[in-house]
Amino acid sequence: MLNVSHLTKKYHRFTANDNLSFIVNDGEIAVLAGPNGAGKSTAIKCIAGLLRFDGEIEIDGHNNKSIEAKKILGYVPEIPAPFELLTVWEHMEFIARAYKLTDWQKKAEELITRMELQDKLNKLGKELSKGMQQKISICCALLTNPQTVLFDEPFVGLDPHAIKELKSMLFEMKAKGTTIIISTHMLDSVDEFWDRVFIMMNGRIEAERERKTVEKSGENLEELFFSITEKNKD
Amino acid sequence: MNAILYMLRKNVKNAVIDTLKSPLKMIVYLFIGASLVYAVIQGFTMNRSVDEQLDPRILYGAYLALLHFISVPIMLKGLSTGSSFFAMSDVNNIFVAPISEKKILTYGIGRQLATSLFLVVCFSAYGSMAIRMFELSIADALMLVGGIALMLIIVQLITLLLFCLCSAHPRLSVYLKFVIYLLPVYALGSVTIFMFSSSMTLENLYAAISQHYLEYSPVIGWLHGFVFGLLYGNTMKAVIYGVLLLICCALSILIFCLTKLDYYEDVLQKAESYYEFRDNIRNGKVSDSDWLGSKPVKLRKQGIRRGSGASSIFFKHLREGARRSRFMFFNINTIVLLGVTGVIGMAMKSFFNSPYRISVIYIAATVICSYIQFFFSAAGDWVKELNKPYIFLIPDSPVRKLIMAGATSIIKPFIDGAISFVFLWMLVGGHIPDIIVCMLVYGSFGCIYISSNILAQRIVGISGNRGVFITFYMGIMVVLMIPGIVIGLLALSNVSGYFTIISASVLGFPVFLWNIFISFMIFMLCKNLLNNIE
């Protein structure tokens, strides 16, 4: 479970995240949606423990900067950053060693096959296209079987097959009880599996909805998004 | 062309406004400006006795070396299809606009020239230094600085010529690159041959670097001849070399006007990679792609094989290092240091060859090599690691991660020091304690550079302004070094007997101990650096 409480992130006088509080339960897929500059990526980076912030973030009851939290957290960054001089397989090995994983090879092979990287095992990070680098990021984040996973614009740069595979991985993780947060403004890409949505604008959460509530009202995610963001613009 | 002029005007205006809006940036610029002005005023006003002045042949050789240092990289860049002329925004916006290719190329080169001329401002401090060190007037110093400005202008015209030639005949770039490399090779070769054909003395070294043959090399040598002709009142020499330079410039402009240019495709790819490179530098990021480019890398051994938790970062660095260079820790930096210690050894050997004075050679070599090491230390493995999220996410103690990430950068100077000082010992002999202590001191300066960098990152922030960061980094470095050097000097002033023979050890050992102690303390104090990426 992810518990974000009064998260505020300021860059000098600019407030990127303004007092965000929300909870994402085990087995839930939450979407952080919002226009460009709404503060989605900043929030994700704060949760991943990459930025300084005010407030509290707990991952399964552990402070997000603690070693215990890091052990159960997976993070797929917005911009993939593979190691230029490591091969695809060595990325897997590095993560396995850094996280002290045992019997990781089978899982690594499975991820690599699903992301269609099996013929690129000996390719260096610098030799891969942006899309393939994104696939490595996903494999690295999921190799550790994390309890909570943060995806920052995960579908950008992926080919249709990889998008399909990633979606089915999300369903599988959800079924296993993994807490998942996806930051995106491509609403149609998450339309089929979201459970909870936080619509952000100007660093604040303007609306929080559950799938059941939205479906009951006859709305869809896109209509909800525009009704909130357009209203606030006016 | 109006559009280009408008864009230039707006760029300059916005850059000024941006600087005014950032007080910290402003303070750093003012500080740098004030330091330059102070250096210039000091040079112009300070009197130095004739005894203290250096041999003018040093100026002759140093100026030629400086001209090579400035010109050769610019010309080589020109060959790589003008990669440095254009920013990505130029490619995306100006290339598709209805403006002639020649105007766009002129704009690109003009912009590059303006950037290069900023260098001249920095060299004005060296002009004042030249006044103090050599018997020069203010007019002489201005002539030397003006010579550098002229070199930059001429070299941009040559770049234009090279670019036009290579654009029309791509295979020509290989041969032209060879010709450009010949320029420094000719200068170095002439000096080396002179030294080997005579005895290795300081006097012969001065004679070697001031041979008039050195001025025969095209453009760089000619400009040197032109400036020194004017400097020493040799009008004939100045006229001959001036005419040669004029012909060269006129030819470049003529060929440019006659060539049909089609360079967009060449520039596009280079501009993309250069944009990424500049963006990384601007943000203080260093990645392997920046220097590897599209160079193929041999995989050799595969797998990280060892390490668990934080230590896997160290073993990953070893694997990456093996791919950068077959000999891993033995690279171009080691070769440069071998060259420097070699030159110092050969030049000082005849003056300091008594058992009581040989330590001086070791002290000089340690000081100069440690200074050079500063430039090598900027792109260590641990700096690259900070650009990626993994080091922050790995579930291990921050201090272990910091030490493991910096381990290869700590080991490398000790290995370089060992190789260089053993080489120096083979050249000049010396005392075993001196050799060992100098190796250790050189290595410990590596620790000081890393710890200063860590402390500066901690104060300014990993993603802070680079100008502010560098100012802090250098300031911290000086502050950290001073106590060790002071303790070393105090120790040196109180020794007698055998210890006077091994003065390098007496001076260096406290420096080594201090450097290691303070570096360790900073590692401990900054262990929270990896708590966040900011």
Side-chain angles (χ1 to χ4, degrees):
Chain A
M1 188 175 81
L2 173 72
N3 189 349
V4 176
S5 178
H6 305 293
L7 166 64
T8 299
K9 172 67 194 167
K10 287 184 179 174
Y11 293 102
H12 305 290
R13 269 171 281 176
F14 173 70
T15 306
N17 288 154
D18 188 3
N19 200 25
L20 306 184
S21 292
F22 59 87
I23 289 173
V24 184
N25 297 310
D26 291 345
E28 245 181 15
I29 299 180
V31 173
L32 278 182
N36 295 330
K40 307 182 295 289
S41 288
T42 308
I44 289 275
K45 282 176 190 152
C46 288
I47 298 168
L50 298 178
L51 302 180
R52 278 190 291 268
F53 59 88
D54 293 320
E56 277 178 32
I57 299 173
E58 284 186 352
I59 296 165
D60 271 4
H62 305 291
N63 180 295
N64 75 323
K65 299 228 173 186
S66 66
I67 290 178
E68 289 74 23
K70 285 177 193 288
K71 278 181 186 168
I72 53 170
L73 181 76
Y75 168 58
V76 179
E78 185 181 8
I79 300 163
F83 298 106
E84 287 87 352
L85 288 173
L86 288 196
T87 63
V88 170
W89 185 254
E90 283 166 351
H91 275 81
M92 298 289 104
E93 188 189 344
F94 172 64
I95 293 294
R97 288 183 178 281
Y99 283 74
K100 300 177 185 171
L101 305 179
T102 50
D103 303 327
W104 52 273
Q105 287 86 350
K106 203 172 159 218
K107 171 86 177 171
E109 277 166 17
E110 183 207 322
L111 285 167
I112 279 172
T113 309
R114 292 183 77 170
M115 283 289 136
E116 292 190 312
L117 287 170
Q118 62 273 43
D119 58 335
K120 303 281 184 296
L121 284 181
N122 295 330
K123 286 271 176 202
L124 294 172
K126 80 180 194 95
E127 295 169 344
L128 300 174
S129 68
K130 282 273 183 317
M132 286 179 196
Q133 292 182 354
Q134 177 74 344
K135 289 178 181 181
I136 291 194
S137 276
I138 293 168
C139 293
C140 286
L142 302 186
L143 181 66
T144 60
N145 286 316
Q147 186 53 41
T148 300
V149 196
L150 311 170
F151 290 94
D152 198 352
E153 299 289 358
F155 301 106
V156 174
L158 291 184
D159 56 51
H161 173 86
I163 290 174
K164 191 177 141 222
E165 274 303 327
L166 180 57
K167 284 180 179 175
S168 86
M169 284 179 192
L170 289 168
F171 278 116
E172 289 161 24
M173 284 190 286
K174 181 183 166 176
K176 278 189 207 163
T178 309
T179 308
I180 298 166
I181 296 200
I182 303 171
S183 153
T184 186
H185 47 225
M186 295 161 69
L187 297 174
D188 51 342
S189 62
V190 292
D191 202 29
E192 53 195 288
F193 52 73
W194 67 278
D195 296 309
R196 188 181 291 276
V197 64
F198 304 101
I199 297 178
M200 292 186 68
M201 271 192 85
N202 303 320
R204 285 188 297 271
I205 294 177
E206 291 295 340
E208 177 184 346
R209 298 279 191 281
E210 280 187 56
R211 187 182 190 103
K212 282 178 274 178
T213 324
V214 174
E215 279 176 349
K216 246 185 216 170
S217 68
E219 267 185 321
N220 65 27
L221 193 54
E222 201 168 84
E223 284 165 351
L224 173 73
F225 178 84
F226 285 122
S227 70
I228 290 164
T229 53
E230 299 288 317
K231 184 180 76 188
N232 280 305
K233 250 187 221 172
D234 301 335
Chain B
M1 202 65 183
N2 279 342
I4 291 176
L5 289 175
Y6 173 81
M7 192 188 63
L8 281 174
R9 211 173 61 234
K10 288 290 169 192
N11 268 337
V12 172
K13 186 185 157 196
N14 291 340
V16 173
I17 292 171
D18 186 48
T19 309
L20 290 173
K21 276 183 183 169
S22 166
L24 205 54
K25 216 192 265 185
M26 198 64 187
I27 290 166
V28 170
Y29 287 148
L30 286 174
F31 175 74
I32 294 168
S35 309
L36 272 175
V37 171
Y38 174 74
V40 172
I41 292 170
Q42 204 195 23
F44 288 162
T45 53
M46 195 174 158
N47 289 323
R48 202 177 162 109
S49 69
V50 177
D51 296 344
E52 286 177 286
Q53 277 159 359
L54 299 174
D55 193 310
R57 289 174 295 179
I58 297 174
L59 177 66
Y60 190 98
Y63 195 72
L64 189 71
L66 184 64
L67 292 179
H68 276 94
F69 180 73
I70 295 170
S71 318
V72 172
I74 296 177
M75 287 194 272
L76 286 171
K77 263 189 184 170
L79 276 183
S80 61
T81 49
S83 58
S84 64
F85 299 164
F86 300 102
M88 214 39 222
S89 52
D90 296 332
V91 173
N92 289 342
N93 300 304
I94 300 179
F95 280 26
V96 290
I99 303 171
S100 93
E101 286 97 328
K102 278 179 185 160
K103 279 181 184 168
I104 293 174
L105 187 57
T106 313
Y107 149 75
I109 289 172
R111 214 180 58 147
Q112 179 67 17
L113 177 63
T115 315
S116 307
L117 283 176
F118 267 114
L119 270 176
V120 176
V121 178
C122 301
F123 283 117
S124 57
Y126 287 96
S128 69
M129 200 198 287
I131 291 175
R132 270 185 287 151
M133 298 175 112
F134 305 96
E135 204 177 345
L136 295 180
S137 65
I138 293 174
D140 292 340
L142 288 175
M143 213 178 286
L144 287 173
V145 175
I148 293 169
L150 187 63
M151 183 78 238
L152 285 168
I153 294 167
I154 294 173
V155 104
Q156 295 296 343
L157 286 172
I158 303 282
T159 307
L160 195 69
L161 170 75
L162 295 174
F163 185 61
C164 292
L165 291 173
C166 294
S167 181
H169 311 281
R171 291 192 65 184
L172 201 62
S173 66
V174 180
Y175 303 110
L176 287 173
K177 196 178 266 183
F178 178 72
V179 172
I180 294 170
Y181 278 126
L182 270 183
L183 296 172
V185 167
Y186 168 74
L188 282 172
S190 303
V191 173
T192 312
I193 290 167
F194 188 97
M195 289 299 287
F196 277 100
S197 60
S198 53
S199 57
M200 299 274 185
T201 63
L202 199 59
E203 179 55 32
N204 281 340
L205 181 67
Y206 290 163
I209 59 172
S210 58
Q211 301 169 82
H212 64 276
Y213 300 112
L214 295 174
E215 290 176 344
Y216 294 169
S217 88
V219 190
I220 299 174
W222 299 346
L223 190 116
H224 187 276
F226 175 66
V227 172
F228 276 75
L230 291 174
L231 205 66
Y232 293 125
N234 189 341
T235 318
M236 181 58 84
K237 183 174 158 180
V239 168
I240 291 172
Y241 286 124
V243 168
L244 281 171
L245 287 170
L246 263 178
I247 293 171
C248 184
C249 294
L251 262 177
S252 302
I253 294 167
L254 186 72
I255 293 173
F256 170 62
C257 294
L258 295 175
T259 312
K260 192 177 180 302
L261 287 169
D262 183 12
Y263 57 88
Y264 282 8
E265 187 183 324
D266 303 328
V267 168
L268 181 63
Q269 195 188 354
K270 294 285 176 183
E272 274 175 355
S273 56
Y274 191 66
Y275 170 74
E276 205 172 321
F277 173 70
R278 279 195 355 172
D279 199 44
N280 284 345
I281 296 290
R282 196 180 296 132
N283 295 315
K285 293 179 180 174
V286 188
S287 81
D288 279 308
S289 298
D290 292 341
W291 63 271
L292 284 170
S294 54
K295 203 171 89 176
V297 175
K298 281 189 182 164
L299 286 183
R300 299 191 187 100
K301 281 183 187 167
Q302 290 196 44
I304 296 166
R305 299 180 183 201
R306 294 184 67 186
S308 174
S311 66
S312 57
I313 301 171
F314 170 67
F315 290 102
K316 178 179 78 71
H317 286 166
L318 290 185
R319 174 60 59 238
E320 289 170 330
R323 286 186 183 147
R324 273 185 223 113
S325 158
R326 179 183 285 274
F327 305 104
M328 194 140 50
F329 288 113
F330 187 92
N331 60 9
I332 186 73
N333 300 358
T334 323
I335 294 166
V336 170
L337 284 172
L338 282 174
V340 170
T341 45
V343 169
I344 294 168
M346 299 303 268
M348 295 179 78
K349 193 179 173 183
S350 58
F351 286 87
F352 300 94
N353 58 354
S354 78
Y356 285 91
R357 299 177 74 189
I358 210 147
S359 258
V360 178
I361 302 178
Y362 281 90
I363 294 171
T366 310
V367 170
I368 294 169
C369 290
S370 300
Y371 174 70
I372 293 171
Q373 191 197 151
F374 167 72
F375 300 99
F376 298 154
S377 65
D381 285 331
W382 83 276
V383 181
K384 289 173 198 156
E385 211 60 56
L386 297 180
N387 302 327
K388 302 184 192 299
Y390 300 103
I391 194 166
F392 303 94
L393 297 170
I394 290 170
D396 209 330
S397 106
V399 74
R400 277 198 73 205
K401 286 195 279 186
L402 195 58
I403 291 171
M404 286 300 167
T408 49
S409 309
I410 292 169
I411 293 168
K412 167 79 175 139
F414 283 99
I415 292 174
D416 279 349
I419 294 170
S420 306
F421 286 99
V422 166
F423 178 61
L424 185 62
W425 171 74
M426 286 160 68
L427 285 178
V428 301
H431 313 288
I432 299 298
D434 278 354
I435 300 159
I436 295 169
V437 169
C438 287
M439 286 174 190
L440 295 175
V441 170
Y442 178 81
S444 71
F445 271 109
C447 300
I448 282 280
Y449 297 145
I450 295 172
S451 54
S452 309
N453 198 327
I454 289 172
L455 191 55
Q457 304 260 19
R458 190 82 183 91
I459 295 169
V460 180
I462 292 169
S463 52
N465 180 290
R466 299 322 290 168
V468 176
F469 168 76
I470 289 166
T471 311
F472 265 97
Y473 172 35
M474 296 180 82
I476 289 167
M477 202 172 61
V478 172
V479 171
L480 294 185
M481 278 176 193
I482 287 173
I485 296 168
V486 170
I487 299 166
L489 288 171
L490 283 174
L492 191 62
S493 63
N494 287 301
V495 293
S496 58
Y498 173 70
F499 290 107
T500 53
I501 302 175
I502 53 160
S503 55
S505 307
V506 176
L507 174 64
F509 195 64
V511 175
F512 162 71
L513 288 180
W514 169 260
N515 287 354
I516 295 294
F517 166 74
I518 197 70
S519 303
F520 180 75
M521 291 304 289
I522 286 169
F523 265 79
M524 290 297 131
L525 285 171
C526 296
K527 61 184 179 187
N528 291 335
L529 178 76
L530 297 179
N531 264 1
N532 56 65
I533 208 163
E534 289 176 285

